Amino acid sequence: MIDFQHILTSINEAASNEKDKGKIADYIPELAKVNVDNFGIHLIDIQQNNFSAGKSDEKFSIQSISKVLSLSMALGLIGEKVWKRVDVEPSGDPFNHLSLLELENGIPRNPLINPGAIVIADILVSKLEHPKEEFLSYVQNIANDDTIAYDLGVAKSEKRTGFRNFAAANLLKSYGNLNNDVDIVLDFYFHQCSLAMNCVQLTNTFFMFMNNGKCRRNNTLLTISQVKRINAIMLTCGFYDEAGEFAFEVGLPGKSGVGGGIVAFLPNKFCVATWSPGLNPKGNSKLGMLALEKLTTETELSIF
């Protein structure tokens, strides 16, 4: 029997003693206000036992982690048609690079880099009558938590400074891979990325990817095939140009965000979320990466 609580407590201690905590994503002004010393970790197992250490109940902006949720909603709405507009290959590039988009005629490499997530946002804007409200309701339903909300300050901050996202959306539009107005799609996208959660809420939300498509309410929201594909994309593309390193060091599917959050899981075993806002040069949480490497090393649990 693994003593998860003991392991999380020791991870939290190691994190607080680490001198170099990384650099905060200050290009989004609202995120620049967060204290770099923050660290939290929470784990839920398949029996729904919960284990926590550090600031696991403090909310933060989940940013790109939300891309997995918009993808799962789009797959639920239009199924396999999603893959006509976005590919499933790792990009090997930072999350906001645009060079491949031109080379590959407006089809983003995968749905977890910014241009791919903007295409997914376009699908949701086309399919939903009230996209922002319905997406939020979808996430609340998965997590069984109606307190989850957008951080409107962050959404506004991103809109003011998201020049590369405007460039990506206009490039997609020029290739015919954006059906709606650029401003409307990006307004939805900036709200999506501004979702605020704590580590506990994040593990509750991603419980369904660990649990064969069944959320904590025991409702089946994705088919086994859809879960398999989303989880595969998280493993190969969830950490931008550091996805190989994460698979090598940690060995779990997962997703990071520039707000410092990481969520990862071992199917049918556990789901874990960490938060530490200092990032490494690749844009992933420095202490989060170290924490998850320590977790899988000490438990000897990974997909490999």
Side-chain angles (χ1 to χ4, degrees):
M1 186 77 174
I2 294 168
D3 187 349
F4 282 120
Q5 189 54 58
H6 174 73
I7 292 168
L8 296 200
T9 302
S10 76
I11 286 171
N12 183 50
E13 278 172 25
S16 61
N17 292 329
E18 190 74 31
K19 294 279 184 286
D20 180 5
K21 293 181 163 69
K23 186 177 182 298
I24 284 184
D26 53 10
Y27 59 88
I28 300 170
E30 280 295 307
L31 297 186
K33 299 174 182 175
V34 182
N35 183 349
V36 76
D37 290 326
N38 285 325
F39 179 83
I41 185 165
H42 184 84
L43 183 146
I44 183 170
D45 68 15
I46 193 72
Q47 285 84 30
Q48 302 198 35
N49 299 307
N50 288 275
F51 310 91
S52 280
K55 296 186 175 179
S56 59
D57 57 355
E58 190 160 327
K59 292 199 174 188
F60 56 91
S61 182
I62 74 166
Q63 292 294 311
S64 285
I65 296 171
S66 68
K67 294 169 180 172
V68 178
L69 306 173
S70 57
L71 172 62
S72 68
M73 189 177 194
L75 269 176
L77 288 168
I78 69 166
E80 299 300 297
K81 291 185 198 149
V82 165
W83 311 122
K84 290 187 175 145
R85 295 185 55 190
V86 60
D87 208 345
V88 294
E89 290 297 327
S91 71
D93 275 345
F95 59 91
N96 58 2
H97 267 214
L98 302 179
S99 48
L100 279 173
L101 198 54
E102 269 199 291
L103 279 175
E104 295 171 355
N105 300 314
I107 302 292
R109 269 285 171 109
N110 66 70
L112 302 185
I113 50 174
N114 290 14
I118 290 168
V119 168
I120 298 297
D122 183 56
I123 291 169
L124 295 181
V125 167
S126 292
K127 285 284 163 193
L128 304 173
E129 204 170 327
H130 305 289
K132 286 184 284 196
E133 294 80 1
E134 289 177 61
F135 176 68
L136 181 58
S137 174
Y138 173 78
V139 174
Q140 291 172 337
N141 180 46
I142 291 171
N144 195 18
D145 183 347
D146 59 9
T147 69
I148 292 170
Y150 298 122
D151 183 327
L152 300 180
V154 170
K156 205 177 288 181
S157 191
E158 294 204 57
K159 196 171 189 174
R160 273 201 316 273
T161 57
F163 307 115
R164 278 179 183 264
N165 288 318
F166 280 98
N170 280 293
L171 200 51
L172 289 163
K173 190 83 171 162
S174 76
Y175 281 107
N177 200 10
L178 206 75
N179 297 328
N180 296 284
D181 181 81
V182 164
D183 287 338
I184 291 170
V185 175
L186 286 180
D187 180 58
F188 172 80
Y189 178 69
F190 294 138
H191 277 79
Q192 167 203 313
C193 289
S194 81
L195 273 177
M197 293 190 207
N198 58 36
C199 293
V200 181
Q201 291 171 315
L202 208 44
T203 57
N204 288 340
T205 306
F206 275 71
F207 185 85
M208 77 166 180
F209 299 104
M210 179 258 285
N211 190 38
N212 301 311
K214 273 190 184 174
C215 71
R216 289 199 66 198
R217 294 177 184 221
N218 215 29
N219 297 332
T220 302
L221 299 174
L222 294 167
T223 66
I224 298 283
S225 167
Q226 287 170 336
V227 173
K228 185 180 83 174
R229 286 175 178 202
I230 293 170
N231 292 358
I233 290 169
M234 276 193 260
L235 182 71
T236 56
C237 311
F239 296 83
Y240 315 118
D241 46 333
E242 202 173 13
E245 179 78 7
F246 191 80
F248 185 79
E249 298 289 358
V250 179
L252 299 173
K255 184 74 194 85
S256 63
V258 296
I262 298 179
V263 64
F265 51 87
L266 181 59
N268 304 308
K269 294 281 187 198
F270 66 80
C271 180
V272 61
T274 63
W275 173 54
S276 176
L279 308 180
N280 66 20
K282 300 285 174 89
N284 297 311
S285 171
K286 187 172 189 302
L287 295 189
M289 299 285 274
L290 291 172
L292 293 173
E293 183 188 343
K294 192 169 163 60
L295 175 71
T296 54
T297 301
E298 294 204 9
T299 59
E300 299 183 344
L301 293 173
S302 82
I303 62 168
F304 299 114

